[in-house]
Amino acid sequence: MEPPFLLVDLDRTAEPEPPPSADRVLVGVAAEPRPVSGQFDVLLTGVPDPPRPWVGCADPHAAARDLRETVARQPAAAVALVQILRMGATLGPAERLVVESLAYSALQGGGGFRAWLAEARPRTPRPAAEPVLLCRDGALLTVTLNRPRVRNAFDAATRDALCEALEVAVADPSIARVELRGAGPVFCSGGDLAEFGMSRDPAEAHRVRVARSPAALLQRCAGKVTARLHGACVGAGIELAAFAERVSATPDTTVRLPEIGMGLIPGAGGTASLPPRIGRERTAWLALSGVPLTAREAVGWGLVDEVEATE
């Protein structure tokens, strides 16, 4: 069966652009950026640093072939991703998180995720006594992810502790500023793989994900928040940080969305937090390709606001 993928060479086709299709990923390729309709999910060009929504690649046709292979391996996750991103413009902030969670939960019960789990290396959970640290200094609340032994992997205990911290930031008007940091060599390496596949009830997982949502709390207090990134910012590490009003990064920062390769989609709020900063097309590219962004590239895209000098 052919993957639900359509590539349009915008330099060669003399036909009108194809109509949008709900069940396939639509990718456009051109040597140079050009005006196009808003129906494409990803737009690739050979021009370095092109304007949004285009993505610059050394070989855009090779990049498109890689996307096709990704869609062939994980068609359900790839199509769900672009469907949610297309819908995002018509939904309110809170609704975007609910739709993302519904799709994530459905994919948890899908064949793509089960196949990934079957091949994944077993991991032993390594809980932390204090997965999130709080420090109050006057009007400043510093919130630090504190599982450096596992690169601040985001587990259920970290989620719950982060919710408790952000509930304080939301409820207390005397807190004027919140800084979100990560202890150790990286900010956050994404979801804790030791917990993947533990939930046997996707419907209940969706209920818990919506009820205990750091993303929803960050939406409510975003104007106070500065996220200070360093090292790897994978999956939840960038999805949550992108809600902040201000995002800074050290030069060693890299950003990556790996979930499609697992048969999932970003599930920590990324389909709601990244598009306002970089657009849905570039969000789709990051998620479908799994390609990392450097700190400099992230600044150029608007995902990061500044690169901080290191001491």
Side-chain angles (χ1 to χ4, degrees):
M1 179 181 296
E2 285 292 310
F5 179 93
L6 179 63
L7 175 64
V8 179
D9 188 332
L10 294 166
D11 293 325
R12 294 186 178 183
T13 181
E15 299 296 322
E17 293 172 5
S21 175
D23 62 351
R24 61 185 177 184
V25 178
L26 183 57
V27 177
V29 174
E32 296 185 359
R34 49 165 280 189
V36 294
S37 71
Q39 66 197 34
F40 285 95
D41 298 304
V42 178
L43 288 162
L44 304 174
T45 179
V47 174
D49 300 321
R52 180 169 148 179
W54 292 83
V55 174
C57 304
D59 187 339
H61 286 276
R65 288 193 294 271
D66 290 343
L67 291 183
R68 181 184 178 90
E69 291 176 5
T70 295
V71 174
R73 288 193 299 270
Q74 296 288 1
V79 171
L81 171 78
V82 297
Q83 289 173 336
I84 290 168
L85 291 174
R86 293 169 192 164
M87 293 169 60
T90 67
L91 300 174
E95 287 75 19
R96 294 176 197 173
L97 295 179
V98 174
V99 169
E100 177 187 279
S101 179
L102 285 168
Y104 189 93
S105 295
L107 291 166
Q108 283 183 312
F113 181 56
R114 290 198 302 270
W116 179 84
L117 276 178
E119 296 179 358
R121 174 174 61 86
R123 290 173 169 83
T124 302
R126 301 172 68 183
E130 291 185 275
V132 174
L133 301 178
L134 297 184
C135 179
R136 178 78 184 263
D137 183 6
L140 170 65
L141 177 68
T142 300
V143 180
T144 304
L145 305 179
N146 187 44
R147 301 184 70 209
R149 291 194 308 161
V150 290
R151 297 164 63 86
N152 293 326
F154 203 77
D155 64 355
T158 304
R159 176 203 64 205
D160 291 344
L162 183 57
C163 281
E164 291 176 6
L166 293 173
E167 284 166 354
V168 172
V170 168
D172 188 345
S174 70
I175 295 175
R177 292 182 296 135
V178 177
E179 288 199 353
L180 183 60
R181 296 178 175 269
V186 308
F187 177 75
C188 177
S189 60
D192 191 337
L193 299 184
E195 289 191 345
F196 275 44
M198 292 181 64
S199 174
R200 302 300 178 186
D201 187 339
E204 176 63 13
H206 164 67
R207 188 192 68 80
V208 172
R209 192 180 299 110
V210 172
R212 301 291 289 166
S213 173
L217 291 164
L218 281 166
Q219 284 180 332
R220 295 174 60 188
C221 66
K224 300 180 179 183
V225 181
T226 296
R228 300 197 179 277
L229 311 183
H230 69 285
C233 300
V234 181
I238 188 59
E239 296 174 53
L240 294 172
F243 284 109
E245 178 73 16
R246 187 86 182 157
V247 180
S248 68
T250 56
D252 68 334
T253 299
T254 58
V255 170
R256 189 165 65 87
L257 294 177
E259 294 93 342
I260 293 293
M262 305 173 187
L264 299 171
I265 60 170
T271 63
S273 63
L274 270 70
R277 281 184 165 268
I278 65 174
R280 69 173 181 85
E281 297 89 351
R282 287 180 169 181
T283 302
W285 161 255
L286 284 180
L288 290 170
S289 71
V291 170
L293 279 186
T294 65
R296 183 190 66 81
E297 291 168 332
V299 168
W301 280 21
L303 187 53
V304 167
D305 297 303
E306 64 176 338
V307 176
E308 293 184 340
T310 55
E311 297 181 358

